Amino acid sequence: MNKSNSTSYVILIFTLFLFGILGLNSLNPSKPNYDDFSKFNVSNQMDHINEIAKEPHSIYDVEAKEKVREYLTSELTKLGAQPKIYEYSDVYVKRSDSYEDIQNIYAEIKGKSDSYIMLVTHYDSSRAKPERYAEKDGSLGAADAGYGLSTILETLRVIKESNIELQNGIKILFTDGEEAGLLGAKEAVKEYEIFNGVNYLINLEARGTKGPAVMFETSPNNSAVVDLYNSADKTFSYSITPEIYRLLPNGTDFTVFLENNIPGINISVLNGIENYHTPNDNPNNLNYKSMQHYGDQVLPIVQEFVSNSKYSNPSEITSKSDSIFFSLGNLFIKYSKAINYILILLILICIIYLYINLKHKNLVKVFKFSFINLLYTIISMGIAYIVTRILAIINSRPFKITYLPLIKYESIILILFILITFIAYIFTIKKFTNNFNEKNEYLIGSLTLLLALSIILTLLLPGASYITVFPGILISITSVITKILDHKYNISYIMLIPIALVTLLFVPTIYLFNSALTLGGLCANILFVMIAFISITSSSTLIKGITK
């Protein structure tokens, strides 16, 4: 290996390492504020949580839940929100085959108009669900839903103390019985007073105790809804998550609100599932960065809604289409389906240009490499499925793709599997390209596969299409630029741009999907891994010194 080759490899490895670190760092977008009480403050949040999470307070823990309810109504009263209790007697609980009494807490702060933003979370803690082996009775509800309750109370405090003139109002709903089957939400939607005038709803959840607070679900036709969400200081969301969540049997209070055509968003942390619905969901295991991140999203959205008179018109939150969006480091990228079609067309044009102008190309070999990439991806996903089934047996766990927590050495297994998959992929491509002598066919074949997947996803799951469109358009454009200018200038290092940005996108994506689906979803997560590997490897073939 000569000096030029060594330099190229060092630069490539440094780029992957740097943007991998930046990708991981993007999972902690907020820095806790402990001292400045003019802003959202985690010290205040913690004070609330310490009161809320003193003991388990499920719907079966009547006295403990009453104490939490009294504390919340007292705090709402101090904030000028005029709380009201909606009581429902003998509500049937299918999970326990019993009849229980539930009490929702409702409050509102009026604005000049009859338009409202609603902040929702539940205040009951969980009892373990028999179908989820990792759960245990005794959750104190510090994160689920102490994060949500404290975020709403702190948001109201900042709004009140900043003396904002409210053009539009705020409604607050703390539901009861969410953990027992969304009971409070199902009763609340029957009450005209509660939802009258609500034009935007933010539901707060916690499926764990740490990690970024992800905006993981929206109402349908979400373009205008996401526009308002973009008012947040620390946006963190991917349009693939609403697409996938709609296909899963999971549910939160937001599920009930969607069924009643109420526009809005759902936010939750996803990591720390080992603490979820267990006694470890207590104040000692909370994450201040996560707490701050809730506030850094919710407070600016509420401030924008209540201070901007345009939101007195419901049409401002109404749209006829979904947006495609994703977080990229500190950026939030959002575009329409129409733009997505244009990007796909540009990828096709670039592929045609590259096929015409690159040397030593062969159409049969182009499709061969498309097929090899696809086959390798499918085989890797199949192996991942088998591995997780074996791990479930070894750990004496029932297997479920969306739920396989508490596997020994889970992080090590994930990293090793990804590394082995990558190394095996490099050797496979090196062999079939004759030591990258057929790199042009491999590049075009990889782009052709990304194009085909982009078209399929755009038709079936448009919110997920960015995972192939974004790498595809980056690689296509930089490859064309390299081809046009490289005979005059040595600009092959421009191919580091797609490598860097693909790494920045997929590192947090892979991490989050492992947190959300647990190791059981490794087979699905390998799809993201392989899209990243194909994109990075095909881009690197045009860098001088990496291949001949």
Side-chain angles (χ1 to χ4, degrees):
M1 183 182 293
N2 59 40
K3 185 176 180 180
S4 175
N5 290 355
S6 299
T7 301
S8 295
Y9 276 103
V10 168
I11 293 173
L12 174 60
I13 293 170
F14 176 77
T15 299
L16 289 170
F17 178 78
L18 174 62
F19 282 85
I21 295 298
L22 290 174
L24 288 174
N25 189 60
S26 71
L27 293 165
N28 296 295
S30 292
K31 181 180 180 180
N33 168 39
Y34 302 101
D35 304 317
D36 188 348
F37 290 93
S38 67
K39 300 177 182 178
F40 195 93
N41 190 290
V42 295
S43 297
N44 284 341
Q45 270 188 292
M46 203 64 221
D47 289 343
H48 291 308
I49 291 173
N50 283 330
E51 290 295 328
I52 292 164
K54 288 182 175 179
E55 56 186 327
H57 46 279
S58 71
I59 60 170
Y60 310 103
D61 305 306
V62 177
E63 291 184 6
K65 192 185 67 170
E66 183 179 1
K67 293 177 184 176
V68 174
R69 185 169 62 252
E70 289 176 350
Y71 174 78
L72 294 172
T73 54
S74 173
E75 291 301 305
L76 289 170
T77 300
K78 293 176 185 177
L79 294 166
Q82 303 172 358
K84 178 180 179 181
I85 305 298
Y86 280 81
E87 299 193 40
Y88 307 95
S89 301
D90 296 327
V91 177
Y92 179 65
V93 185
K94 182 178 181 180
R95 187 169 293 149
S96 57
D97 191 25
S98 62
Y99 290 87
E100 308 294 339
D101 296 339
I102 63 173
Q103 299 86 20
N104 288 338
I105 304 171
Y106 166 75
E108 67 177 71
I109 301 173
K110 295 184 181 297
K112 289 184 177 181
S113 78
D114 294 327
S115 175
Y116 290 87
I117 186 170
M118 174 173 270
L119 306 178
V120 185
T121 191
H122 63 91
Y123 74 95
D124 61 311
S125 64
S126 174
R127 274 200 179 177
K129 299 176 177 65
E131 67 272 18
R132 293 182 177 176
Y133 62 82
E135 297 186 7
K136 298 177 182 178
D137 285 343
S139 170
L140 301 184
D144 183 23
Y147 278 170
L149 293 166
S150 62
T151 297
I152 292 172
L153 292 174
E154 181 63 1
T155 297
L156 295 178
R157 180 194 69 80
V158 177
I159 294 288
K160 179 184 179 183
E161 294 180 3
S162 59
N163 295 316
I164 296 175
E165 185 177 16
L166 302 187
Q167 302 297 322
N168 307 297
I170 306 170
K171 290 192 174 187
I172 303 98
L173 178 63
F174 297 152
T175 63
D176 192 5
E178 191 270 353
E179 299 288 7
L182 318 181
L183 305 178
K186 291 175 181 178
E187 296 297 335
V189 292
K190 301 174 186 177
E191 306 288 351
Y192 176 80
E193 176 192 14
I194 292 179
F195 287 95
N196 182 36
V198 173
N199 290 318
Y200 198 89
L201 184 147
I202 303 176
N203 189 69
L204 301 179
E205 266 291 345
R207 190 178 182 268
T209 53
K210 59 184 178 180
V214 184
M215 194 279 278
F216 70 98
E217 189 178 15
T218 70
S219 49
N221 298 321
N222 62 26
S223 183
V225 167
V226 175
D227 282 340
L228 180 53
Y229 169 70
N230 201 18
S231 302
D233 288 341
K234 304 288 185 179
T235 51
F236 200 100
S237 188
Y238 302 87
S239 56
I240 189 174
T241 56
E243 295 278 18
I244 293 177
Y245 195 80
R246 290 168 191 167
L247 302 176
L248 298 176
N250 303 324
T252 67
D253 281 343
F254 195 67
T255 306
V256 178
F257 306 140
L258 289 183
E259 292 170 352
N260 287 269
N261 302 312
I262 300 168
I265 58 176
N266 204 359
I267 298 175
S268 177
V269 292
L270 301 173
N271 202 1
I273 195 172
E274 67 275 7
N275 299 323
Y276 179 59
H277 289 181
T278 75
N280 292 326
D281 184 3
N282 63 56
N284 295 326
N285 290 318
L286 301 186
N287 186 285
Y288 288 171
K289 292 179 181 178
S290 300
M291 293 162 63
Q292 185 72 45
H293 192 214
Y294 276 98
D296 286 344
Q297 294 181 92
V298 174
L299 176 59
I301 296 171
V302 176
Q303 288 174 325
E304 168 64 14
F305 186 94
V306 300
S307 63
N308 195 329
S309 60
K310 76 175 185 179
Y311 294 112
S312 62
N313 185 351
S315 64
E316 290 293 331
I317 309 295
T318 304
S319 52
K320 296 182 179 179
S321 63
D322 286 322
S323 290
I324 299 163
F325 53 89
F326 56 94
S327 294
L328 185 68
N330 293 326
L331 300 176
F332 185 68
I333 298 172
K334 172 185 175 291
Y335 53 92
S336 66
K337 289 182 180 178
I339 296 297
N340 195 60
Y341 292 132
I342 293 172
L343 294 176
I344 289 174
L345 180 60
L346 282 174
I347 295 172
L348 175 60
I349 293 171
C350 288
I351 289 173
I352 294 171
Y353 175 87
L354 291 170
Y355 182 77
I356 293 172
N357 289 278
L358 286 176
K359 297 179 180 179
H360 311 300
K361 71 273 181 183
N362 180 299
L363 188 59
V364 174
K365 290 182 179 179
V366 167
F367 287 112
K368 179 187 79 171
F369 288 116
S370 295
F371 177 75
I372 289 172
N373 280 327
L374 179 61
L375 182 61
Y376 189 92
T377 300
I378 293 171
I379 291 173
S380 298
M381 293 173 69
I383 294 172
Y385 177 78
I386 294 170
V387 167
T388 50
R389 291 299 298 250
I390 293 171
L391 288 171
I393 294 171
I394 292 173
N395 288 269
S396 301
R397 307 296 189 193
F399 178 81
K400 192 175 181 182
I401 286 180
T402 57
Y403 190 78
L404 189 62
L406 306 186
I407 297 297
K408 292 181 180 178
Y409 312 114
E410 175 180 341
S411 297
I412 296 173
I413 291 168
L414 175 65
I415 293 170
L416 282 176
F417 193 92
I418 291 174
L419 284 175
I420 292 169
T421 302
F422 179 65
I423 293 169
Y425 176 70
I426 293 298
F427 278 105
T428 300
I429 295 303
K430 189 173 182 180
K431 176 181 179 180
F432 281 100
T433 58
N434 295 319
N435 200 23
F436 291 105
N437 284 321
E438 297 173 2
K439 65 179 183 180
N440 291 337
E441 289 92 340
Y442 167 65
L443 170 64
I444 300 172
S446 298
L447 284 172
T448 301
L449 177 61
L450 291 176
L451 174 65
L453 292 175
S454 297
I455 294 170
I456 293 170
L457 288 173
T458 297
L459 295 175
L460 300 180
L461 292 172
S465 61
Y466 72 89
I467 66 170
T468 51
V469 171
F470 183 67
I473 195 66
L474 288 175
I475 300 168
S476 298
I477 291 175
T478 51
S479 297
V480 169
I481 293 172
T482 299
K483 173 57 186 173
I484 292 173
L485 299 178
D486 203 38
H487 68 285
K488 293 182 179 180
Y489 312 99
N490 182 14
I491 62 163
S492 68
Y493 285 115
I494 196 176
M495 298 307 300
L496 291 171
I497 294 174
I499 290 172
L501 295 182
V502 165
T503 303
L504 187 61
L505 172 65
F506 278 95
V507 166
T509 298
I510 293 164
Y511 179 90
L512 283 174
F513 269 82
N514 182 67
S515 299
L517 299 177
T518 67
L519 199 60
L522 179 61
C523 58
N525 217 349
I526 286 299
L527 175 62
F528 301 124
V529 170
M530 283 308 305
I531 292 171
F533 286 170
I534 291 168
S535 302
I536 291 168
T537 307
S538 59
S539 297
S540 65
T541 60
L542 291 185
I543 299 174
K544 289 185 178 180
I546 299 297
T547 58
K548 296 179 182 179

